[in-house]
Amino acid sequence: MQADILERLSQFSQLPREKVEQLRHWLSQTLSYEPKVGILGKTGVGKSSLCNALFGKDVAPVSDIESCTRELQEISVRVGSGNIKLVDLPGIGESRERDREYKDLYSKHLPEFDLVLWVLKADDKAFSSDEEFYHNIVKPHLEQGKPFIIVLNQVDKVEPFREWDIANHVPGHQQQKNIDAKSKSVAQKFGIDSTAVIPICANENYNLITLVETITYALPKDKKVTFVNALKEENRSEEAKNEAKRGFFEALGEQIGGTILGELGKEIGKTLGQETDKTSVGKVVNYIADNIVKKFFSWW
């Protein structure tokens, strides 16, 4: 497959072979990349259920009785030609002794993640242990630009919980107001934008599309396509697919521009990749999308 890509690019682009090899190497790395997502939060908030709802049935163990995750668990999810690596970290809040042990573990692995999801249980009254752990351990890594999203899970349990519309899997009127208020309160406590707090119910598949789209926008542009590719088909919205394509085109255009023109060409290529116009860079971008990327991603 890689040799075929190299030959096709050489014939189409009329670039020197060494330049085509650079481009082929970038393509190979990008299309086979495994995004690494850290799943953080206290035990019992539904981290494993969230992973299962997003990426497929039983990709992570679930237990209603005790904590399933006492050590770091790496789960490679394969869907079609793509993989994503979910890293389920031990849940905080079991005991002070365990939290002290987990601090080193969190600090060691946080820099490795492309994205951090912090899962909270929507009907919890207080998040003091989460806040302390976030501000002392997690936040320093986020200040380096790492995407961070809070997932407010199990919103069906927010009062008045009897308002939950079982047939349509959505909150009732007053329940929705309380969920919105809880989301704003969490954003304030953690000091983040309210758009980074996504209320969901994993077991009811409620608002998962919004979560997926928020994650897709937050990921680095060259890592969006493999994340979207790993999702269950029902969670792969048109908006998420379009954002993934846009990010890929932009990154590819930047790469081609840099390959052809060096550092000065990166910004030019980035713009041309966005527009996929009729210039030489735009033609190569379109060719790669039509003849190569579609072989990797059936949804493209």
Side-chain angles (χ1 to χ4, degrees), residues 10 189 219 222 240 269:
S10 296
K189 289 178 184 297
L219 282 169
D222 58 337

Side-chain angles (χ1 to χ4, degrees), residues 39 41 47 69-72 88-92 94 102 105-106:
I39 315 290
K47 293 186 292 177
T69 311
R70 295 193 181 278
E71 298 178 352
L72 180 146
D88 192 0
L89 288 163
I92 65 170
E94 293 180 49
Y102 294 160
L105 185 68
Y106 274 53

